[in-house]
Amino acid sequence: MLFLKVDHLEKSYGGRTIFSIESLYLYDQDRIGLVGRNGEGKSTLLSMLAGTADPDAGVVERYGSVSYVPKLEELDSEISADLNGKWKLADQGQDQISGGEQTRRKIAQALTSNANVLIADEPTSHLDVAGIEQLEHELQAFKGAILLTSHDKDFLNKLCTAIWEIEAGQVTVYEGNYDAYLKQKQIETDKSQREYQEYTREKNRLEQAARQLKAKSDGIKKAPSRMGNSEARLHKRSAGVQKAKLNRAAEAMETRSRKLEKKEKPKEHEPIVFDLAEFPALHSKRIIQFNGSPVKVGSVTLKQHVNGEVSLGSRLAIIGGNGSGKSTLLNQIVNHDPSLTIAQPAKIGFFNQHQENLENNKTILENTMKDSPYNQTFIRKMLARLAFKRDDVHKKANVLSGGERMRASLVKVFLGNYNVLVLDEPTNYLDLDTKEALTEVLAASWYDHICDS
Ligand SMILES: Nc1ncnc2c1ncn2[C@@H]1O[C@H](COP(=O)(O)OP(=O)(O)OP(=O)(O)O)[C@@H](O)[C@H]1O
């Protein structure tokens, strides 16, 4: 049964076409993963399919009810005791619940709404391993159609029956799960590379042949002056015939070269590269010392005692289930909680889950330049390596996609004047290439990192 149909859907922002989609269909048993690099338009498309935003042109026809879980922004207030138990949600005030718990709440509500179509924007973000497994299980059991975005390969592999890929404003449909999509993409890429190589080889061959024929034609000499008149006439005639023949052959080659079916050079994405600034030297061996104090949210004690230390050059990961107090502990560090001992020369750069270091009404460039010791030229170069090129740097933070916002917020921390980095879930919403680039720079650096992941 057809639940959703897209007909000539278009959306642009400030002269940039985000997408122009001829048609798409969603049927009752579909489990679709919408994939694409950060900023390609996935969230924009989902919001239009769900009916919470309007396209510039085109129609979305819905033949069933739709339940929509947007990215972690709004939070529905009430949740039943049943759902609370089933999803093991923490019983805290809303201002205190963690990102993972907010996500679980929204999904629990959406899945019990009896909708025909579930549209979810990155439902795996902020979830711990148990949460992702439960989500997989619940989605498998869901009777209607599912359309979701995720940058989690395993999750897409387990769930999806088809992948919609959005790239350069177009959506291409691939049957099968994420691995099947990657295989088909690889075959397509190999084919277009082969075709492009064959095309350029043949074009060069024809053009070279045409040049050689012309040179041969130009090389046919005039009759020497010592030749008699009749002999010279004969020479001229046969040379003329030969020249015309060569020129015709050269033209034929040029025509064949012009008529070759043109193959475009396959697009290669420039790699994403994060850079870390020079950092103020740290001469202390022990950077942070936990003195056995509790981790608390308001009056709720999340952990009785936290002991241990962060030593110079270490890369420490804080792991734990949703709501176990990871972000709270990071906040204690960042706020120099008196229960901790923090070395004097430590300058802590903090990336938090909600990218609060970005001012929404400021552009990416303004945000990054603020508090950075670097000049504009250097910062623009660094932003370009993160795919913020030319006018992109003048985009305001409040219009950025989830992944673009993460990049902007991370680069602001990386180009600040810090020697200890505290990163709270730095990979949420990042596409796979960007995640890899982030891992690379952090693995190669000599900063102290404390990561919640
Ligand atoms: N109001 C706006 N003005 C200008 N550009 C905008 C506006 N809203 C969104 N954009 C741009 O549209 C593009 C698509 O955004 P969208 O959030 O749909 O991307 P996405 O594919 O979901 O990305 P991500 O994987 O990072 O979540 C982004 O480049 C974003 O900066």
Side-chain angles (χ1 to χ4, degrees), residues 272-287:
I272 295 286
V273 184
F274 282 98
D275 294 273
L276 287 171
E278 292 286 317
F279 56 93
L282 254 173
H283 296 298
S284 186
K285 268 196 180 154
R286 190 176 296 151
I287 310 302

Side-chain angles (χ1 to χ4, degrees), residues 13 16 38-44 71 395 399 401 403-404:
Y13 285 120
R16 177 189 158 205
N38 290 142
E40 289 285 357
K42 299 179 293 299
S43 300
T44 309
K71 278 213 183 86
K395 269 190 196 173
V399 303
S401 75
E404 287 173 337

Side-chain angles (χ1 to χ4, degrees), residues 259-277:
K259 284 192 174 163
L260 275 181
E261 193 190 338
K262 191 164 185 207
K263 301 283 175 195
E264 294 297 337
K265 188 168 187 209
K267 266 206 194 107
E268 280 172 20
H269 294 290
E270 279 185 45
I272 295 286
V273 184
F274 282 98
D275 294 273
L276 287 171

Side-chain angles (χ1 to χ4, degrees), residues 309-332:
E309 63 176 45
V310 179
S311 53
L312 184 66
S314 58
R315 292 158 200 169
L316 184 81
I318 300 179
I319 56 170
N322 286 144
S324 59
K326 303 182 297 291
S327 300
T328 311
L329 182 59
L330 293 188
N331 275 304
Q332 284 187 348

Side-chain angles (χ1 to χ4, degrees), residues 179-362:
D179 280 347
Y181 148 76
L182 285 183
K183 256 190 213 150
Q184 293 170 72
K185 271 296 270 187
Q186 193 56 52
I187 292 171
E188 271 176 22
T189 311
D190 291 348
K191 182 168 175 256
S192 50
Q193 257 160 6
R194 221 177 23 250
E195 284 179 351
Y196 178 70
Q197 277 169 3
E198 279 163 16
Y199 163 75
T200 46
R201 204 179 304 127
E202 182 61 1
K203 197 164 175 61
N204 288 341
R205 188 187 72 78
L206 291 169
E207 282 171 359
Q208 198 189 356
R211 276 197 302 276
Q212 282 170 348
L213 288 164
K214 272 195 183 142
K216 223 172 176 181
S217 153
D218 293 344
I220 293 176
K221 297 217 169 65
K222 285 187 181 163
S225 49
R226 59 182 152 71
M227 240 180 215
N229 276 351
S230 57
E231 207 185 346
R233 254 199 312 278
L234 267 178
H235 176 90
K236 198 172 168 190
R237 201 173 302 144
S238 87
V241 170
Q242 240 183 341
K243 237 176 162 22
K245 215 168 148 187
L246 286 167
N247 285 343
R248 270 201 306 279
E251 269 166 35
M253 292 290 173
E254 282 170 348
T255 311
R256 275 174 65 189
S257 157
R258 269 199 308 275
K259 284 192 174 163
L260 275 181
E261 193 190 338
K262 191 164 185 207
K263 301 283 175 195
E264 294 297 337
K265 188 168 187 209
K267 266 206 194 107
E268 280 172 20
H269 294 290
E270 279 185 45
I272 295 286
V273 184
F274 282 98
D275 294 273
L276 287 171
E278 292 286 317
F279 56 93
L282 254 173
H283 296 298
S284 186
K285 268 196 180 154
R286 190 176 296 151
I287 310 302
I288 301 166
Q289 170 93 40
F290 300 97
N291 300 320
S293 315
V295 177
K296 282 183 169 186
V297 178
S299 58
V300 183
T301 302
L302 298 170
K303 186 124 181 68
Q304 262 317 333
H305 308 287
V306 181
N307 284 301
E309 63 176 45
V310 179
S311 53
L312 184 66
S314 58
R315 292 158 200 169
L316 184 81
I318 300 179
I319 56 170
N322 286 144
S324 59
K326 303 182 297 291
S327 300
T328 311
L329 182 59
L330 293 188
N331 275 304
Q332 284 187 348
I333 298 171
V334 172
N335 296 325
H336 291 247
D337 191 281
S339 65
L340 312 170
T341 314
I342 299 182
Q344 271 305 323
K347 286 176 181 289
I348 300 176
F350 181 40
F351 167 87
N352 82 0
Q353 282 184 34
H354 305 287
Q355 304 97 44
E356 281 162 13
N357 62 343
L358 295 180
E359 288 180 50
N360 274 331
N361 59 349
K362 288 208 160 72

Side-chain angles (χ1 to χ4, degrees), residues 104-240:
R104 287 152 71 106
R105 262 169 205 245
K106 287 200 294 184
I107 294 165
Q109 283 170 330
L111 281 171
T112 44
S113 66
N114 286 327
N116 299 110
V117 180
L118 173 70
I119 297 183
D121 199 351
E122 308 232 16
T124 50
S125 289
H126 302 282
L127 289 188
D128 57 19
V129 177
I132 294 180
E133 274 170 15
Q134 184 176 12
L135 178 64
E136 268 165 28
H137 182 75
E138 298 289 337
L139 290 179
Q140 301 282 10
F142 182 71
K143 295 271 183 287
I146 298 173
L147 170 62
L148 48 79
T149 59
S150 174
H151 294 294
D152 182 334
K153 283 193 268 191
D154 293 341
F155 178 77
L156 292 171
N157 268 335
K158 284 185 190 144
L159 186 75
C160 293
T161 54
I163 298 290
W164 291 358
E165 183 207 55
I166 181 164
E167 186 173 42
Q170 302 293 316
V171 174
T172 314
V173 177
Y174 295 86
E175 293 304 322
N177 65 7
Y178 191 76
D179 280 347
Y181 148 76
L182 285 183
K183 256 190 213 150
Q184 293 170 72
K185 271 296 270 187
Q186 193 56 52
I187 292 171
E188 271 176 22
T189 311
D190 291 348
K191 182 168 175 256
S192 50
Q193 257 160 6
R194 221 177 23 250
E195 284 179 351
Y196 178 70
Q197 277 169 3
E198 279 163 16
Y199 163 75
T200 46
R201 204 179 304 127
E202 182 61 1
K203 197 164 175 61
N204 288 341
R205 188 187 72 78
L206 291 169
E207 282 171 359
Q208 198 189 356
R211 276 197 302 276
Q212 282 170 348
L213 288 164
K214 272 195 183 142
K216 223 172 176 181
S217 153
D218 293 344
I220 293 176
K221 297 217 169 65
K222 285 187 181 163
S225 49
R226 59 182 152 71
M227 240 180 215
N229 276 351
S230 57
E231 207 185 346
R233 254 199 312 278
L234 267 178
H235 176 90
K236 198 172 168 190
R237 201 173 302 144
S238 87

Side-chain angles (χ1 to χ4, degrees), residues 43-64:
S43 300
T44 309
L45 177 59
L46 289 192
S47 62
M48 277 162 205
L49 299 186
T52 59
D54 293 324
D56 296 338
V59 227
V60 178
E61 288 170 25
R62 294 175 203 89
Y63 305 105

